[in-house]
Amino acid sequence: MQGMDAHARLFIALTPPPDVRKQLAAARDVIHLRVSGKPVADSNLHLTLAFLGQTPRTRLEELTQLIDRSGFMPLDLQLNQYGFFTQAQVVWLGLPARHIALDGLAQRLGHGLRTAGFNFEDRPFSPHVTLLRKATCPPERLPQPVIWHANQLSLYESVSTPDGVKYRVLHRVLAGFGR
Ligand code: 2AM
């Protein structure tokens, strides 16, 4: 397409339904009362399963098929673990323990991406929702846990705009409706 970059910065993530998005935003705001940092916009809240980075747009169709065939089923997540990535200066909300079905989904996606030859960075999976960027310290007190019945898996493009980064859903699959 004319004027459009041949590559897109992509990642695959769980998209919260509106009620969970509200709870995540509320948790972020409670933390932000005590910790300075840049709040992640409501519309950008997500849980990343696989990060691809710069990817040729010519491979988008292949990626949507891979996501459709990932065997995504609903996941019940209880997010009540707050943390701080010191180097990235990120305050996050995540799970208190390993979640077998979530880990399995991330593994299947990673395996599919590697097998198809995508430029997939194979870091240990550390499921989290980033709430604050450029944060200075970990949160002191924990707000209410967030219960997330996850039923939407999305392919996102990260787009830089004058108003900051925006995450655009390019493709979505609802749990149990993949191919
Ligand atoms: P973060 O929220 O902890 O920064 C879009 O940038 C999403 O991809 C974010 O969830 C971000 O994690 C994640 N991300 C960015 N770079 C990554 C990398 N190299 N490996 C894994 N995830 C990454």
Side-chain angles (χ1 to χ4, degrees), residues 119-135:
N119 184 22
F120 168 64
E121 203 177 320
D122 203 359
R123 282 192 196 170
F125 178 48
S126 168
H128 65 276
V129 179
T130 295
L131 299 177
L132 296 180
R133 296 195 184 278
K134 298 186 181 159

Side-chain angles (χ1 to χ4, degrees), residues 28-59:
R28 175 203 61 202
D29 293 344
V30 170
I31 290 169
H32 197 218
L33 292 174
R34 294 180 168 77
V35 178
S36 63
K38 193 171 179 304
V40 172
D42 292 15
S43 55
N44 278 358
L45 293 164
H46 67 276
L47 190 153
T48 294
L49 289 160
F51 179 77
L52 289 110
Q54 291 295 333
T55 308
R57 289 186 192 276
T58 49
R59 300 202 72 185

Side-chain angles (χ1 to χ4, degrees), residues 136-149:
T136 47
C137 59
E140 285 169 21
R141 251 184 49 197
L142 308 184
Q144 291 282 319
V146 173
I147 310 296
W148 180 351
H149 180 72

